[in-house]
């Protein structure tokens, strides 16, 4: 098959060849207007509804009617608009056996189907990545009603960090972004299950969050004091360095300006009257 006669799509299930010869001819099979009008006046409600969307459009002073391909294109555009306006979920259908019998699974064939559908690769990518994500503000709003007043003033990002540390979640199971937090597979469900547990457990968890926040505040104060002391020492050291540079520059400048005079005086000293200059 030549390039202009078709194309090939390669995916997990293998290569699929599509022959495009005669596509335009097959999709230009418009119906006669009298036949469409006859279908519209049919006593059968089903037949009348099938042709209810038939409309004649004036184009270049000619009557143009929708072909089968045009109707298919309109239906496809409508489907794409619906898909773009919703959150779609893809369902993978697996054929368990060749006999169509219930409760019977052919492991080899099922595994081949999963590999062909790319499920194994998709699961490997999910395990290596962070498929679940939620904004800091959304996660904060989910549990803010259970928080005491002194914790409601926390920033959503700070609250999320305190929550995960309090429940003992490993830092490898989540990552912070700019506005969202990303979870490993199944970790967000664990957080939601813990937050919706008994009231006693929730009170204990809130107590852990409070302790973690206090420790973080104390650590920040310690860091601020240490940083202030360090920068004070650095400022003093820089001041001393500047003073040494200024002192050495003034000494060098003075020596450069007066050294020729001193050398001249030293060379002329033996010729001077010793009574006037007993010593140099």
């Amino acid at each position: 098959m030549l390039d202009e006669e078709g194309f090939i799509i390669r995916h997990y299930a293998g290569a699929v060849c599509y022959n495009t010869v005669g596509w335009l001819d097959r999709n230009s099979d418009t119906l006669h207007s009298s036949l469409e009008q006859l279908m519209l006046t049919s006593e059968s409600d089903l037949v009348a509804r099938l042709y209810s969307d038939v409309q004649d459009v004036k184009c270049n002073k000619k009557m143009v009617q929708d072909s089968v391909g045009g109707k298919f294109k309109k239906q496809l555009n409508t489907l794409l608009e619906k898909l773009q306006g919703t959150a779609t979920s893809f369902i993978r259908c697996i054929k368990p056996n060749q006999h169509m019998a219930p409760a019977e699974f052919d492991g080899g064939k099922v595994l081949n189907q999963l590999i062909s559908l790319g499920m194994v690769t998709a699961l490997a990518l999910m395990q290596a990545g962070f498929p679940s994500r939620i904004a800091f503000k959304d996660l904060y709003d989910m549990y803010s009603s259970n928080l005491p007043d002194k914790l409601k003033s926390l920033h959503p990002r700070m609250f999320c960090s305190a929550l995960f540390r309090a429940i003992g979640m490993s830092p490898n199971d989540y990552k912070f972004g700019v506005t969202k937090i990303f979870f490993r597979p199944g970790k967000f469900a664990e957080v939601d299950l813990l937050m919706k547990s008994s009231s006693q457990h929730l009170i204990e968890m809130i107590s852990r969050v409070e302790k973690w926040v206090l420790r973080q505040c104390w650590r920040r104060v310690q860091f601020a004091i240490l940083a202030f002391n360090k920068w004070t020492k650095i400022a003093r050291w820089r001041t001393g360095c500047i003073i040494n540079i200024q002192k050495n520059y003034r000494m060098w400048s003075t020596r450069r300006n007066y050294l020729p005079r001193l050398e001249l005086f030293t060379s002329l000293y033996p010729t001077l009257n010793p009574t006037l200059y007993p010593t140099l």
Side-chain angles (χ1 to χ4, degrees):
M1 184 178 62
L2 301 179
D3 293 340
E4 60 271 12
E5 295 179 350
F7 58 91
I8 297 176
I9 296 180
R10 301 182 184 275
H11 46 72
Y12 288 103
V16 180
C17 180
Y18 293 90
N19 189 357
T20 58
V21 176
W23 271 18
L24 297 179
D25 296 334
R26 290 196 297 269
N27 292 329
S28 62
D29 49 350
T30 57
L31 298 178
H32 197 273
S33 59
S34 60
L35 177 59
E36 292 179 348
Q37 294 297 328
L38 179 62
M39 294 295 104
L40 286 173
T41 57
S42 174
E43 296 180 356
S44 174
D45 295 336
L46 176 60
V47 175
R49 285 198 303 268
L50 289 176
Y51 290 87
S52 61
D53 58 343
V54 176
Q55 295 179 354
D56 294 336
V57 181
K58 291 185 178 180
C59 180
N60 296 328
K61 299 181 179 181
K62 294 181 180 179
M63 299 298 293
V64 179
Q65 297 177 341
D66 288 338
S67 63
V68 176
K71 294 178 181 179
F72 174 76
K73 185 178 179 181
K74 289 182 179 180
Q75 294 174 358
L76 184 60
N77 290 332
T78 304
L79 177 62
L80 290 176
E81 291 177 358
K82 291 182 179 180
L83 291 177
Q84 292 175 357
T86 58
T88 57
S89 299
F90 295 94
I91 301 175
R92 300 295 189 183
C93 298
I94 303 297
K95 187 177 181 180
N97 55 76
Q98 296 293 337
H99 310 290
M100 300 295 181
E104 181 180 343
F105 293 91
D106 189 342
K109 293 187 178 297
V110 171
L111 181 60
N112 289 333
Q113 293 179 68
L114 292 175
I115 295 175
S116 299
L117 290 171
M119 293 298 296
V120 177
T121 306
L123 292 175
L125 291 175
M126 290 177 62
Q127 291 296 329
F130 299 85
S132 302
R133 64 195 68 183
I134 187 173
F136 297 126
K137 186 67 168 57
D138 295 340
L139 185 62
Y140 175 80
D141 293 339
M142 289 175 62
Y143 309 117
S144 60
S145 59
N146 299 327
L147 298 177
D149 295 335
K150 54 184 177 181
L151 291 182
K152 289 183 179 180
S153 60
L154 288 176
H155 189 272
R157 184 187 182 98
M158 183 68 177
F159 166 76
C160 294
S161 181
L163 175 64
F164 300 148
R165 294 297 183 92
I167 64 178
M169 181 177 289
S170 174
N172 297 326
D173 294 336
Y174 63 91
K175 294 294 180 182
F176 284 99
V178 178
T179 59
K180 295 182 179 181
I181 183 170
F182 300 83
F183 295 94
R184 293 283 189 184
K187 295 301 178 180
F188 180 71
E190 295 181 7
V191 176
D192 189 63
L193 183 62
L194 288 174
M195 293 302 296
K196 293 181 179 179
S197 57
S198 62
S199 58
Q200 183 65 28
H201 183 71
L202 187 60
I203 293 174
E204 181 181 355
M205 190 177 304
I206 292 175
S207 177
R208 293 179 186 175
V209 172
E210 293 177 352
K211 292 179 181 178
W212 186 85
V213 171
L214 291 176
R215 286 197 298 268
Q216 287 297 111
C217 293
W218 175 246
R219 289 175 182 173
R220 289 187 177 183
V221 171
Q222 287 180 326
F223 176 78
I225 294 174
L226 293 175
F228 177 77
N229 293 334
K230 183 176 180 180
W231 280 108
T232 302
K233 293 180 180 179
I234 292 175
R236 291 175 180 174
W237 175 77
R238 289 181 177 178
T239 303
C241 292
I242 292 173
I243 293 175
N244 288 332
I245 292 173
Q246 292 176 346
K247 179 179 66 175
N248 287 279
Y249 175 77
R250 286 195 296 267
M251 180 181 65
W252 173 81
S253 178
T254 304
R255 181 179 176 86
R256 185 188 64 176
N257 294 332
Y258 290 95
L259 184 59
R261 300 180 185 180
L262 179 61
E263 291 177 350
L264 178 61
F265 182 78
T266 305
S267 61
L268 296 176
Y269 177 74
T271 62
L272 297 177
N273 189 353
T275 60
L276 298 176
Y277 302 97
T279 58
L280 182 61

